[in-house]
Amino acid sequence: MDVRALHDGWTLRPAGGEIPEEVDRAGWIPAQVPGTVHTDLLTAGLIPDPYVGENEAALTWMHRSAWEYRTRLDAGPPAPGERVELLFDGLDTVATLTLDGTELGRTVNMHRAHRFDLTRLTGPGELVVRFDSALEHAESVEKDVGARPRTYDHPFNAVRKMACSFGWDWGPDLQTAGIWRPVTLRRWRTARFATVRPLAGLDGTTGRLRVHVDVERSGLEAATALTVHVDLGRHGRAATVLDPASASAVLEVEVPEAPVWWPRGYGEQPLVDVGVRLCAHDGELLDERSYRTGFRDVRIDDSPDEFGTRTVVVVNGQPVFVRGVNWIPRDHLLTRLDADRYAAALDDAVDAHCNLVRVWGGGLWESEDFYRLCDERGLLVWQDFPLACAAYAEEDPLRTEFEAEVRENVTRLSHHPSLAVWSGGNENLQGHEDWGWKEELGSSTWGAGYYHDLFPALLAELDGTRPYQPGSPVSPATAPQGVHPNDPDHGTNHEWDVWNRLGWPHYRDRIPRFCAEFGYQAPPTLATIAEFLPADQRSATSPAFLAHQKALDGNGKLDRGMAPHTGVPSGFEDWVWAAQLNQARAVSCAVEHHRSWWPRTAGSIYWQLDDCWPVTSWAVVDGSGRRKPAFHALRRAFAPRMLTVQPRAGVPHVVVVNDTAQEFSTQVLVRRTTLTGEVLERTEFDVSVPARAVRTCPLPLVGGDGEPVVVDAGGLRAVHLEAPDKDLPWEPDPLRVGVTRVDGGYAVRVRAESFARDVTLLADVVAPDARVDDGLVTLLPGESHTFRVRSGAVVDAEEFAGALRTANRFGRS
Ligand code: BMA
C-alpha cells in the first residue's frame, strides 16, 4: 500500500449564494487542507474574525453559500492489478467531487470518511470538491422526510453535520464547510484491510485481544491466499491464513498476567503496541495498521436497590465514582485544533482531578488525538453518538448515513482502553417525554428505533466490550416500567432546574444516582473578554457582550442567581467577579453534595469543561483556554480527598470523602469565629475514613449568621456559613500582599489581617498569558498563602494587588 497525502496546491473560491463583492472579486484563494472555508477567508483577510465583537452576525451570508476547492491531481496510471483510491477522512458536509468534470461521487455526512475509486481515472486533471450549503440541504431533507422537533432554529437534525455547527446556547452559528480531515491517495494491489477492529478485554488477570479483520481483494490476484499477522511484541502474536474464498478473520491473543489499564486514581495506564499486517502468500507486505491498546474490563452496574436503580461504572471489578466533565468541541473552527490544544484541554481535566470526559452528542466523534491522549492520561471516555436535543427521522437518507457512520466510528475507536461508555445521544429521550414532541410528531419516527434497536444491534455486532446506554439522561431497562428518563432515582440525570430557576443551594434538594449534566454560567476571564469585547462596549448589556451570551435569558439568570448571595454589583468588573464567584460556589455546592452521597450517588459530570469560542457559558475553562475561578472550585471539590459540610435532616454535618486506595485517618479541627476571624470556640475529633469511602458526623459547633464555622482536616478546609456574603459586614480589604519574581513567573504571597473568604488572584488581568495555580482560598487572620503565577511577562509587582479578589468585597458596608 502506497499512501500519499494530498494536502498541497489547493485553492478555493465561492461558487454560489450571495457573496460579498470583495470575496467574489478575490476569486481563487489559497486553501489549507485539512481546513475550512472560514479559516481560509480569515487568512486571506476577506472576512473579519467571527469570534470578535458582533462579527458572527455579519457572516450569516455564509450559511447559504457554496464553495469550490480545487487542486491538480496526477496520480499516474495504475500498474496491472493495482487499485488507486482517494480517501477523504472527512468532508464538511454536502460535497460533490469531480475529476476533470467527471463526477466521482457526492457526500452528505461529515462524521464519516469517503473513499473514491480512481483506478480508471487517475488524471492528470483538476480535482474539484464543491460544497453546497448544508443548511439548504437540511431544509430540503426536512421537507422530504417531514420536520421533526428540535431545540434550535435550523434543522440540524436533518443533516449529518455536527449539531452545534448551527449554533448552540454557548456557540456561534457559523456553519463551516471544507475538507476538514486529511486526504490521501492510496495505491494497492492484491488486497488491503477494509476494516480492523482490535477489541481488548480483561478476564481476571488474563488479557484478551481479539482482532477482527475484513479485507478487500482486487483485480487479477483476487483469488489468492493471504496471511494476517497480529503482533503484540513480548506479549504474544497470532497469525492466520485467509483462503481465496474468505475475506474476514478473527485473531486472538491471550496475555496471561496482562498489564492492566486503570482509570487515573486507580492505577497505571500501561499501553500495549499492536501491529496488524496483511501479507501475500509469498510474504510480501500488502497493508499494515498499528494501534496502542490496553487491557481492562468495563461495565455498568444498573441493578435496583432501596433508593431506585443504580448507575455505577465498574472498571476491572472496581466501582468508580465518576468525577467527570462534559466536553464540547474545543474550537468551533474545528480544523484549528491540533494535538497540543487537545492535550492542554485534557490536562485541564486532569488537573481538575477528573477521571472521565463525556463527549457530548451535539459535537463529534472526536479525533484520534483526543482518545490517544485520554488513553495515556487514564481519562475514561463516555462517548455520546452525535445526536442531541432533537427528534431524528429514522427514514432514509438519514438512516443509511447513521448506520455507515456508527459502523465506521465504532470500528475506528474500538481499540482505545479509555473509551468506556457508548451512549445513544444527548437529551433526546428526555426531549421526547418533556418538550412537547409527542403532539408534534404524531406517528412520525423520532429516533427510538436508533436508540433501542439499530445502535445496540450494531454494537452487538461490532464491539461488545463496553456498555451502551440508549441516551443521557436515561433510566435503565432494570428500572420499573414507565419511569421518566430523567428521574434522579433511576439511572443518569441531567440537573438544569437549578441553573434555570432555583439557584445553586437547591442542588441539595435531590440525590441523583448519577448526575451526567449540571452547570452554572459565568462570563469568561477578563483577559478573554478584552479579546472579543470592543473597549467602548464593556458592559454586560452591550450588543457585543450579548452576542457572546447565547443562553435563553442568560444574563437574567446570572443576575437572579447571584442576587441572594453577592447582590448584583453595578460596575462591570465587579459584576463579572460576582458571577464568577457564584459559578464557583455552584460548582462546589453540587459536586460536594454528589460526592457526599457516595455510593448512593456514583457520578458527577460537570457541564462543561471547555468552550469553543469566547462566550459567557457554563465552562470552567474559557474559549481562550484560561481557567475561570470555578476551575479551582471544581479542582478542590474533585480532589481525591475532600472535606465539606452538608445538611443531613436539616442539621449540618462534617463529611470527609476519601477516594483513594488508602485509609484516611486525620484529626478534624472545628472553630467558630467572628467575621474578622477571632476564634470563639474550638473542638477537635479524630476520624478514620476507609479507602473509597465517606464518613459523616455532626458538626460539633453551631455558628450564627455572622459566625463562620471553619473545619480543617489533613490540609483540607471547609467553611460553613449560612448567611449570604451580602448580608454580612465583612472587612472589605482583608489582605496584605508581597510579590517575588521567581523562575517562570511570580510568587504572590497574601497574608490575611481579617477573615478573608475565597481569595482569588485574577492573574490574567496582570498579564494575558498568566496562569495561577490555585484560587478561592479562605484564610483566617494571621494565615498566609502563596499563589504561584506562571507568566513570561515582565510586570510591575504592584499590579498583582489590583488583581486580587475576595468574597468580602460583596459584604454589607
Ligand atoms: C444541556 C446540554 C446542552 C446545553 C446545556 C446548557 O442540555 O446537553 O444541550 O448546551 O444543557 O443549556
Side-chain angles (χ1 to χ4, degrees):
M1 165 96 50
D2 172 50
V3 180
R4 179 153 64 87
L6 198 67
H7 295 159
D8 297 332
W10 289 91
T11 51
L12 90 92
R13 71 168 179 196
E18 282 181 28
I19 308 296
E21 216 189 295
E22 62 280 14
V23 179
D24 212 23
R25 219 181 316 116
W28 291 101
I29 60 165
Q32 199 180 327
V33 170
T36 191
V37 172
H38 280 82
T39 48
D40 290 329
L41 293 180
L42 202 53
T43 308
L46 292 169
I47 57 168
D49 185 341
Y51 290 6
V52 171
E54 295 164 83
N55 293 343
E56 175 201 356
L59 295 175
T60 43
W61 60 268
M62 291 183 76
H63 298 176
R64 295 180 187 279
S65 57
W67 303 89
E68 260 173 24
Y69 279 72
R70 72 166 180 198
T71 193
R72 188 96 195 128
L73 182 77
D74 185 1
E82 190 178 51
R83 291 266 289 270
V84 183
E85 289 170 345
L86 198 52
L87 179 65
F88 286 84
D89 286 355
L91 291 164
D92 173 16
T93 292
V94 180
T96 307
L97 294 92
T98 53
L99 183 59
D100 265 350
T102 305
E103 186 171 312
L104 300 175
R106 291 170 184 243
T107 77
V108 286
N109 188 344
M110 82 178 280
H111 298 298
R112 53 182 287 215
H114 293 92
R115 186 182 287 271
F116 303 95
D117 190 357
L118 290 188
T119 310
R120 284 189 191 79
L121 205 71
T122 49
E126 193 171 66
L127 176 65
V128 175
V129 185
R130 178 193 164 94
F131 289 97
D132 282 296
S133 157
L135 175 60
E136 289 176 357
H137 172 82
E139 287 167 347
S140 91
V141 170
E142 187 177 59
K143 262 201 206 100
D144 292 347
V145 299
R148 299 293 194 285
R150 47 181 144 81
T151 34
Y152 294 91
D153 290 346
H154 299 305
F156 66 84
N157 52 344
V159 59
R160 294 310 294 145
K161 175 169 169 59
M162 175 173 90
C164 67
S165 267
F166 299 89
W168 213 259
D169 60 0
W170 35 256
D173 180 10
L174 293 174
Q175 303 181 24
T176 50
I179 302 172
W180 80 289
R181 279 182 167 164
V183 196
T184 45
L185 191 64
R186 291 163 178 255
R187 319 175 74 93
W188 56 279
R189 44 186 304 156
T190 311
R192 69 169 180 93
F193 284 130
T195 62
V196 179
R197 252 179 315 124
L199 297 174
L202 185 69
D203 196 352
T205 57
T206 305
R208 189 163 284 116
L209 181 73
R210 285 201 182 94
V211 182
H212 300 249
V213 298
D214 292 313
V215 299
E216 185 181 347
R217 296 165 184 267
S218 103
L220 303 175
E221 292 150 289
T224 178
L226 302 166
T227 317
V228 183
H229 300 269
V230 170
D231 186 354
L232 274 73
R234 66 186 167 87
H235 298 296
R237 63 198 64 233
T240 194
V241 175
L242 285 177
D243 64 46
S246 67
S248 37
V250 185
L251 291 86
E252 185 168 321
V253 181
E254 234 185 55
V255 182
E257 301 304 320
V260 179
W261 187 97
W262 287 95
R264 55 185 309 108
Y266 290 84
E268 305 284 306
Q269 291 80 43
L271 296 170
V272 175
D273 288 312
V274 181
V276 189
R277 285 177 300 133
L278 179 67
C279 297
H281 63 277
D282 60 359
E284 186 199 351
L285 179 65
L286 300 173
D287 198 357
E288 64 183 326
R289 303 276 176 95
S290 48
Y291 302 91
R292 299 196 94 184
T293 191
F295 295 107
R296 55 103 187 94
D297 170 72
V298 57
R299 62 190 183 86
I300 286 179
D301 175 3
D302 60 2
S303 55
D305 63 11
E306 75 261 45
F307 306 112
T309 318
R310 297 180 174 92
T311 288
V312 186
V313 175
V314 180
V315 184
N316 306 329
Q318 166 80 49
V320 170
F321 181 93
V322 167
R323 298 181 243 148
V325 274
N326 281 283
W327 171 270
I328 64 166
R330 180 66 194 83
D331 194 325
H332 184 94
L333 300 174
L334 299 168
T335 57
R336 300 205 284 208
L337 289 170
D338 57 17
D340 288 346
R341 285 185 70 195
Y342 276 112
L346 291 168
D347 283 341
D348 286 329
V350 166
D351 287 355
H353 300 296
C354 294
N355 56 25
L356 181 142
V357 179
R358 171 176 173 238
V359 180
W360 165 76
L364 297 171
W365 306 93
E366 271 294 349
S367 74
E368 188 54 31
D369 284 329
F370 177 90
Y371 304 95
R372 173 181 60 79
L373 293 161
C374 289
D375 291 344
E376 292 167 4
R377 283 160 176 70
L379 288 167
L380 297 168
V381 177
W382 162 322
Q383 176 73 46
D384 280 2
F385 288 15
L387 302 90
C389 301
Y392 286 81
E394 293 170 39
E395 293 77 31
D396 268 335
L398 288 166
R399 190 184 183 86
T400 306
E401 290 300 330
F402 271 116
E403 172 159 359
E405 168 190 333
V406 170
R407 280 186 180 283
E408 177 182 321
N409 285 287
V410 168
T411 300
R412 173 170 77 90
L413 304 179
S414 61
H415 63 283
H416 289 286
S418 58
L419 187 55
V421 180
W422 296 116
S423 150
N426 177 73
E427 295 186 351
N428 305 316
L429 306 172
Q430 181 186 4
H432 185 251
E433 286 305 314
D434 290 353
W435 301 343
W437 296 359
K438 290 180 188 170
E439 303 76 73
E440 230 177 290
L441 281 165
S443 59
S444 306
T445 56
W446 59 278
Y450 295 142
Y451 313 126
H452 299 301
D453 302 323
L454 181 67
F455 296 166
L458 291 172
L459 287 171
E461 179 194 329
L462 298 170
D463 187 356
T465 66
R466 32 179 87 77
Y468 167 75
Q469 311 247 73
S472 185
V474 70
S475 293
T478 45
Q481 271 271 307
V483 163
H484 190 284
N486 200 30
D487 188 323
D489 291 332
H490 302 277
T492 53
N493 166 246
H494 290 191
E495 171 51 82
W496 284 106
D497 291 344
V498 167
W499 154 253
N500 285 319
R501 300 185 287 110
L502 303 171
W504 56 259
H506 290 275
Y507 280 124
R508 299 193 185 114
D509 295 354
R510 290 176 183 160
I511 307 168
R513 306 312 308 270
F514 189 116
C515 198
E517 276 188 17
F518 58 98
Y520 217 91
Q521 271 205 349
T525 60
L526 288 169
T528 297
I529 290 177
E531 288 170 359
F532 80 82
L533 199 62
D536 60 351
Q537 294 209 36
R538 284 180 70 82
S539 92
T541 51
S542 68
F545 190 87
L546 292 175
H548 295 249
Q549 163 57 287
K550 303 284 190 184
L552 192 68
D553 188 26
N555 278 10
K557 289 174 188 171
L558 283 175
D559 284 350
R560 289 192 295 282
M562 70 175 85
H565 308 287
T566 57
V568 184
S570 51
F572 179 61
E573 288 202 3
D574 274 345
W575 180 83
V576 169
W577 165 232
Q580 291 175 341
L581 176 64
N582 208 44
Q583 181 194 31
R585 295 264 176 85
V587 167
S588 308
C589 177
V591 175
E592 292 175 15
H593 165 66
H594 293 154
R595 293 189 69 193
S596 78
W597 284 105
W598 165 257
R600 177 167 169 181
T601 301
S604 180
I605 310 184
Y606 181 71
W607 182 272
Q608 71 220 58
L609 173 68
D610 60 321
D611 269 329
C612 64
W613 77 319
V615 66
T616 296
S617 83
W618 302 264
V620 290
V621 180
D622 73 25
S624 299
R626 298 192 180 95
R627 295 171 173 182
K628 297 189 201 175
F631 176 87
H632 302 292
L634 189 67
R635 187 170 150 271
R636 187 157 306 137
F638 270 163
R641 288 175 176 162
M642 194 270 286
L643 181 69
T644 178
V645 176
Q646 297 290 322
R648 292 291 183 266
V651 179
H653 280 62
V654 178
V655 181
V656 189
V657 177
N658 176 26
D659 192 0
T660 73
Q662 291 80 40
E663 186 183 58
F664 179 35
S665 294
T666 183
Q667 191 175 63
V668 182
L669 167 64
V670 185
R671 286 175 285 178
R672 180 167 67 89
T673 80
T674 64
L675 281 184
T676 49
E678 292 142 49
V679 177
L680 301 174
E681 204 182 346
R682 60 178 285 160
T683 182
E684 283 154 37
F685 62 94
D686 291 328
V687 66
S688 190
V689 192
R692 315 282 178 204
V694 175
R695 281 286 170 272
T696 304
C697 25
L699 184 67
L701 302 179
V702 181
D705 260 7
E707 290 175 356
V709 176
V710 181
V711 185
D712 288 283
L716 308 170
R717 170 167 284 178
V719 176
H720 178 64
L721 185 56
E722 300 209 342
D725 292 315
K726 73 175 177 56
D727 293 345
L728 299 174
W730 293 109
E731 161 58 47
D733 185 17
L735 301 171
R736 294 298 158 261
V737 190
V739 179
T740 337
R741 188 146 173 71
V742 295
D743 205 24
Y746 298 85
V748 180
R749 185 181 155 86
V750 296
R751 186 173 185 285
E753 306 218 311
S754 176
F755 199 111
R757 194 166 190 214
D758 291 328
V759 183
T760 302
L761 179 65
L762 304 181
D764 56 283
V765 168
V766 175
D769 76 331
R771 169 175 282 187
V772 62
D773 65 340
D774 202 357
L776 305 155
V777 177
T778 291
L779 299 173
L780 292 177
E783 290 180 340
S784 49
H785 180 85
T786 301
F787 293 102
R788 314 238 156 236
V789 179
R790 227 178 51 210
S791 169
V794 178
V795 295
D796 185 350
E798 295 295 296
E799 288 184 40
F800 284 101
L804 278 164
R805 299 286 184 279
T806 61
N808 298 37
R809 199 178 184 99
F810 302 116
R812 161 163 71 79
S813 46

